[in-house]
Amino acid sequence: MAYGSPDKTEDIEAYYTDIRRGNRPTSDQLQELMERYHAIGGSPLLRITSDQAASVQEELGSGYDVFIGMRHWKPWILEAVQSMKEQGIDEAVGIVMAPHYSSMSIEKYIGKVEEARAQVAPELHVNYIKSWHKESLFIEALNRKIAKALQKFSGHELEGLHVVFTAHSLPEKILLQNDPYKDQLLETSALVANAAGIKNWSFAFQSAGRTQDKWLGPDLLDVITGLRNNGVKAILVCSVGFITDHLEVLYDIDIEAQHYAKKIGVHLERTESLNADPLLAVLWADLVRKKFHEK
C-alpha cells in the first residue's frame, strides 16, 4: 500500500478533496498544488509502487499474489481487496511502503483495509506488518545511498559535512498518545549514522500540513538555517521516512529546500530514494513469509 497520487492534472482536485476528507480545497490551495505537480513533471509514485510490487512478486515466487492498493487514489485499497475476493483469496499480509508506525499513518491504511474487508470480503483475514524501521537490509540500503551521495561533495566539504535525516511531519498531538513515530525515526537515523560512520547528523521533519494543529518539528528549512548560522556549508539530506520519489521529495527537498540552501550559501544534496531497491524486495518478501507463518 502507498499514499496515492493523481495521474492527470484534471484529477488533482478530486485527489486533494479525498485527502481533505471530502472538503474541497480553496482555489488558491488547488492552484498551489497544481503548480507543484507541474514543477516535478507529475508524480512517479504509482509507477514506482508497481515496480516495488513486481520485485516483491519475483522474490516471493509462485504461491503468492501481490496486489497494490492506494489510500487516496487509484488503484484504491478497496479495489485490491475486491480483487482478492474475486480470486478466492482468504489470507493476506498487508504492508505499507513506509517504514515507521504511527496511528496517523500506518493505522489509517489498516483502517482502510478493514473497511474494505467488511464491505466486500468479510472472510478475508489480513495480518499486518506495522513497521520495519530497524531491519538490517533497510539500514544497509540507506547506507549505500549515503555512500553514493557523498561522492557529490569535495574533500574540503566532506570535512565539515552535516547529514540531516528527514521524514514527513505529523500533528504534534500524537506525542500525547505515546505514538512511537518520532522515536522510530530517531532510531532509524541513529542506526544509519552508525553504519555509515557519520558523526555530525541531526533530524528534521518536513512537509507539515497547513492546519490549525501544531506539527512536529524542527522543520527542515529551520535546521538548514541553524546549521548555516553555525558555519556548516555542506549538507546531505537523507529521507529515512520516504522510500519513494514523490511530491514531498521531488518538490519539498529538490526544489524548495534546494532553492533555499543556494540562497543562503549552502551546498545541499539528497540521497537517492530507495524506490524499488533490490534489497528492499528481499526484505519485504522475507517479512511477508514470516507473517504468513505466524501462529
Side-chain angles (χ1 to χ4, degrees):
M1 293 175 278
Y3 199 77
S5 62
D7 306 307
K8 303 182 290 291
T9 299
E10 52 267 35
D11 293 330
I12 293 178
E13 183 173 5
Y15 167 74
Y16 206 173
T17 300
D18 191 80
I19 292 174
R20 292 165 52 84
R21 301 177 184 176
N23 298 309
R24 295 178 63 183
T26 65
S27 57
D28 288 343
Q29 290 171 331
L30 179 60
Q31 182 64 30
E32 181 181 11
L33 187 61
M34 291 179 70
E35 288 175 356
R36 290 184 173 214
Y37 270 103
H38 289 155
I40 66 171
S43 174
L45 179 61
L46 179 57
R47 173 181 57 77
I48 295 171
T49 306
S50 298
D51 290 342
Q52 291 167 335
S55 64
V56 174
Q57 181 70 75
E58 184 175 353
E59 283 293 329
L60 287 171
S62 60
Y64 293 87
D65 292 298
V66 179
F67 298 82
I68 295 173
M70 298 292 184
R71 181 174 154 196
H72 289 293
W73 200 244
K74 306 166 186 175
W76 302 95
I77 288 173
L78 175 62
E79 295 175 319
V81 173
Q82 179 67 52
S83 295
M84 290 181 195
K85 177 180 176 61
E86 291 170 356
Q87 295 185 33
I89 293 171
D90 59 11
E91 185 178 3
V93 169
I95 183 170
V96 182
M97 300 291 92
H100 308 87
Y101 176 85
S102 173
S103 59
M104 297 194 70
S105 59
I106 304 302
E107 201 63 38
K108 297 294 185 183
Y109 288 88
I110 294 174
K112 286 286 187 181
V113 176
E114 290 302 307
E115 288 175 12
R117 212 175 54 77
Q119 184 177 339
V120 300
E123 71 284 358
L124 177 65
H125 175 261
V126 184
N127 203 358
Y128 299 100
I129 297 167
K130 294 188 175 183
S131 70
W132 38 279
H133 69 288
K134 295 190 298 182
E135 297 292 336
S136 59
L137 289 177
F138 174 49
I139 304 303
E140 182 181 346
L142 288 170
N143 191 11
R144 290 184 182 182
K145 296 300 184 184
I146 287 177
K148 184 175 181 180
L150 290 177
Q151 299 174 18
K152 299 178 181 179
F153 297 93
S154 68
H156 177 70
E157 288 176 325
L158 287 173
E159 293 177 5
L161 180 75
H162 193 98
V163 176
V164 181
F165 298 104
T166 72
H168 202 302
S169 183
L170 290 175
E172 199 174 77
K173 62 186 178 183
I174 66 170
L175 299 180
L176 301 175
Q177 305 163 0
N178 294 318
D179 192 288
Y181 184 63
K182 184 176 181 179
D183 289 340
Q184 288 190 1
L185 287 165
L186 292 175
E187 194 170 16
T188 296
S189 301
L191 287 169
V192 175
N194 183 63
I198 295 168
K199 304 298 183 184
N200 301 318
W201 67 274
S202 54
F203 185 86
F205 286 99
Q206 60 169 94
S207 312
R210 297 177 182 179
T211 68
Q212 294 181 343
D213 293 317
K214 186 175 181 180
W215 287 60
L216 292 170
D219 181 76
L220 174 59
L221 298 187
D222 292 334
V223 170
I224 292 173
T225 302
L227 290 171
R228 180 64 185 89
N229 290 342
N230 287 323
V232 175
K233 295 184 178 180
I235 296 174
L236 175 62
V237 175
C238 178
S239 297
V240 297
F242 297 110
I243 64 165
T244 304
D245 284 330
H246 50 55
L247 190 68
E248 284 79 4
V249 172
L250 301 176
Y251 186 88
D252 294 358
I253 299 177
D254 290 357
I255 295 178
E256 185 177 57
Q258 184 65 257
H259 174 77
Y260 179 71
K262 286 181 179 178
K263 186 170 69 172
I264 64 172
V266 170
H267 178 191
L268 181 77
E269 296 287 352
R270 171 179 68 84
T271 55
E272 293 177 355
S273 297
L274 297 179
N275 293 325
D277 190 292
L279 287 179
L280 289 187
V282 174
L283 167 61
W284 293 328
D286 186 50
L287 292 175
V288 166
R289 292 189 195 98
K290 289 178 181 177
K291 273 294 178 184
F292 267 122
H293 291 96
E294 281 184 0
K295 300 298 181 182

